[in-house]
Amino acid sequence: MKHLILGNGPAGVVAAETLRKAAPHDEIVMVGHEDAPPYSRMAIPYLLEGNIDESGTYLRKGADHFERLRVRQMRGRAVALNTEKCTVLFDDGHFESYDRLLIATGSHPVRPPIPGVDLPEVQTCWTLADARAIAAHARPGARVLQLGAGFIGCIIMEALAKRGVQLTVVEMGDRMVPRMMTPKAGGMIKRWVEEKGIRVVTSAGVQRIDRGSEVGADAPLAVTLSTGDRLDCDLVIVAAGVAPNVGFLEETPVHVAKGVLVDDRMETSVSGIFAAGDVAEAPDLFTGAHLVAAIQPNAADQARIAAMNMARGAIARDTKLNGVLAINVLDTLGLISSSFGQWWGEKPDAGGSGVELVDEARYRYLSLQFKDDVLIGATSIGLTQHVGALRGLIHGQVRLGDWKDRLLANPLSFVDAYVARSQQPMALAR
């Protein structure tokens, strides 16, 4: 059997390795479109900080790693899929056949429709080529504007700050990291960042980006904000989110919403075609509704499950995903924050309740969200020990019983709740 893997990021690599173990004699082809060995995008900020070189971003250090696994690597970008003939057309004009197909094409950065967004000094931070371009412009003292203060934006911001640039961050939301932090928590992160010397402008956007020479600015770029402010910049970095790479699936029977829709086996609407990673839209752990959870741990888990179900022979073909759990852990200039599950909570009429603990002076914060007596979401700032217990309670959908009332009274006792309700034999009985 021939397995064709589109994408050589974390999902593609884990899938190839899992397939080789599960199907020792099958043919495996892994396709990437960049001129680099398989690497982790999440390592790019460390590259910009100077902590690693480009080889430090590589997912596997051995130059002959995939050769030893008998995984054939190929360079190209998929442009069309024929599900009847089981072939993929690539940008160089050649076709590749398959028996089983894994779509692990990842995502791409979104460039908002802003006049001037395509100027050379306007960069995304997604590829090694992007990192090289940013490093050339983001020298100490350079005036840099970053558009976006979401999860990826905050990681990039850390790297820029360590390069010694004069940084302004513009976020359209009313707080930093709006898709993973409550209003109170996002506001605390903003205050922390501003105390570190970074200007943060929330509830604002970029209206246009002009050549500085065209408007009399003393810089290569002049950026006009929705607030009316105009900033002289040497570099603009767009961190306005990402979107799954699904264009080649147009006019195919593979169902696509935001990403490629998959079931709990990571199989798409077409038998024999699977998806994993940033491109996959899988069932949520609690609601069953499909969502894209674009983080590396999810990509690896999904890839293993997809590969096991792609394999044939004695391997069980019904390995299933328990459900996607949204997980984000962020280090923002030394302030650790995390969010798990449905951190926004449920409405009271749906069985929802919650508690919030705030210590502004010490930058400590904890929010717990419940549905009936199950913890379904949590947000924390400044808690660096034992936060894995929050994930354990949420992912295990542990029935808390009377421990729910104890947590409402004292949210910081979540570790005791975890030990009492999930680590003891009595936890099996309510």
Side-chain angles (χ1 to χ4, degrees):
M1 184 172 288
K2 179 179 179 180
H3 304 277
L4 179 60
I5 300 172
L6 302 180
N8 66 348
V13 166
V14 170
E17 293 170 340
T18 304
L19 273 169
R20 178 51 69 221
K21 291 179 182 178
H25 305 295
D26 285 0
E27 181 182 358
I28 302 172
V29 180
M30 183 173 67
V31 186
H33 70 269
E34 294 184 51
D35 186 17
Y39 69 92
S40 170
R41 302 196 192 285
M42 299 311 296
I44 287 177
Y46 302 104
L47 172 64
L48 289 172
E49 291 172 15
N51 292 336
I52 58 174
D53 59 16
E54 287 197 9
S55 66
T57 69
Y58 297 167
L59 288 166
R60 300 295 180 262
K61 306 309 180 186
D64 62 345
H65 176 77
F66 296 103
E67 183 180 350
R68 287 188 287 105
L69 289 177
R70 292 176 291 111
V71 173
R72 176 163 65 92
Q73 296 189 80
M74 194 181 86
R75 186 176 170 192
R77 186 190 299 271
V79 296
L81 168 65
N82 188 320
T83 58
E84 292 185 359
K85 295 182 178 180
C86 294
T87 57
V88 175
L89 172 65
F90 291 91
D91 55 352
D92 63 358
H94 99 277
F95 290 87
E96 195 76 25
S97 64
Y98 65 85
D99 295 300
R100 295 282 186 272
L101 176 67
L102 177 65
I103 301 168
T105 46
S107 52
H108 62 275
V110 173
R111 281 184 178 258
I114 299 170
V117 77
D118 294 323
L119 290 171
E121 295 87 357
V122 180
Q123 290 288 330
T124 56
C125 186
W126 197 242
T127 66
L128 289 176
D130 290 340
R132 297 179 198 120
I134 290 171
H137 290 92
R139 303 186 183 281
R143 294 156 293 184
V144 180
L145 182 141
Q146 178 179 297
L147 176 57
F151 181 76
I152 294 173
C154 284
I155 295 174
I156 299 169
M157 178 182 66
E158 171 115 4
L160 292 171
K162 291 184 177 180
R163 292 183 70 88
V165 305
Q166 300 177 42
L167 181 60
T168 298
V169 177
V170 178
E171 166 58 46
M172 292 188 67
D174 63 354
R175 59 191 184 275
M176 294 190 70
V177 214
R179 291 184 178 85
M180 73 172 269
M181 287 285 129
T182 64
K184 174 62 72 174
M188 290 175 69
I189 294 174
K190 177 185 176 184
R191 183 162 61 88
W192 173 274
V193 169
E194 289 175 331
E195 289 183 358
K196 299 296 183 181
I198 296 174
R199 182 188 178 194
V200 181
V201 184
T202 54
S203 301
V206 172
Q207 283 193 330
R208 63 181 300 108
I209 305 170
D210 293 296
R211 279 282 184 205
S213 57
E214 296 172 354
V215 291
D218 183 26
L221 300 176
V223 180
T224 303
L225 304 185
S226 59
T227 60
D229 290 347
R230 195 184 79 180
L231 306 178
D232 294 347
C233 297
D234 299 295
L235 173 68
V236 172
I237 295 179
V238 178
V242 297
N245 292 321
V246 294
F248 71 101
L249 297 173
E250 291 181 6
E251 300 182 6
T252 74
V254 176
H255 293 169
V256 175
K258 181 180 180 181
V260 180
L261 295 172
V262 295
D263 59 18
D264 58 3
R265 299 175 63 251
M266 304 309 298
E267 192 165 22
T268 71
S269 55
V270 177
S271 178
I273 299 179
F274 298 76
D278 289 12
V279 75
E281 193 166 345
D284 175 73
L285 176 66
F286 290 100
T287 67
H290 284 70
L291 79 156
V292 176
I295 60 172
Q296 193 161 316
N298 274 339
D301 289 344
Q302 292 176 3
R304 277 189 287 267
I305 289 166
M308 293 295 286
N309 287 307
M310 291 167 70
R312 65 178 181 181
I315 300 298
R317 295 283 303 281
D318 267 330
T319 307
K320 294 183 178 181
L321 183 75
N322 290 334
V324 172
L325 177 65
I327 304 171
N328 293 286
V329 179
L330 186 62
D331 181 348
T332 308
L333 304 176
L335 184 64
I336 307 299
S337 59
S338 62
S339 67
F340 303 97
Q342 295 179 252
W343 54 265
W344 57 92
E346 288 273 10
K347 294 180 179 180
D349 58 5
S353 59
V355 60
E356 193 175 49
L357 183 68
V358 182
D359 184 344
E360 294 267 11
R362 297 176 61 224
Y363 284 100
R364 297 290 186 272
Y365 174 88
L366 180 61
S367 168
L368 303 180
Q369 299 296 323
F370 304 89
K371 183 172 184 179
D372 300 322
D373 71 337
V374 175
L375 185 67
I376 62 171
T379 307
S380 75
I381 291 178
L383 301 178
T384 57
Q385 293 185 333
H386 311 306
V387 290
L390 293 172
R391 177 184 178 180
L393 287 170
I394 296 169
H395 194 264
Q397 301 182 66
V398 176
R399 307 294 301 212
L400 292 165
D402 59 4
W403 269 98
K404 176 188 173 181
D405 291 333
R406 299 190 204 182
L407 289 173
L408 289 171
N410 179 16
L412 290 174
S413 63
F414 62 85
V415 176
D416 293 334
Y418 177 71
V419 172
R421 297 302 299 172
S422 68
Q423 299 297 300
Q424 303 295 331
M426 65 174 293
L428 300 175
R430 188 173 179 185

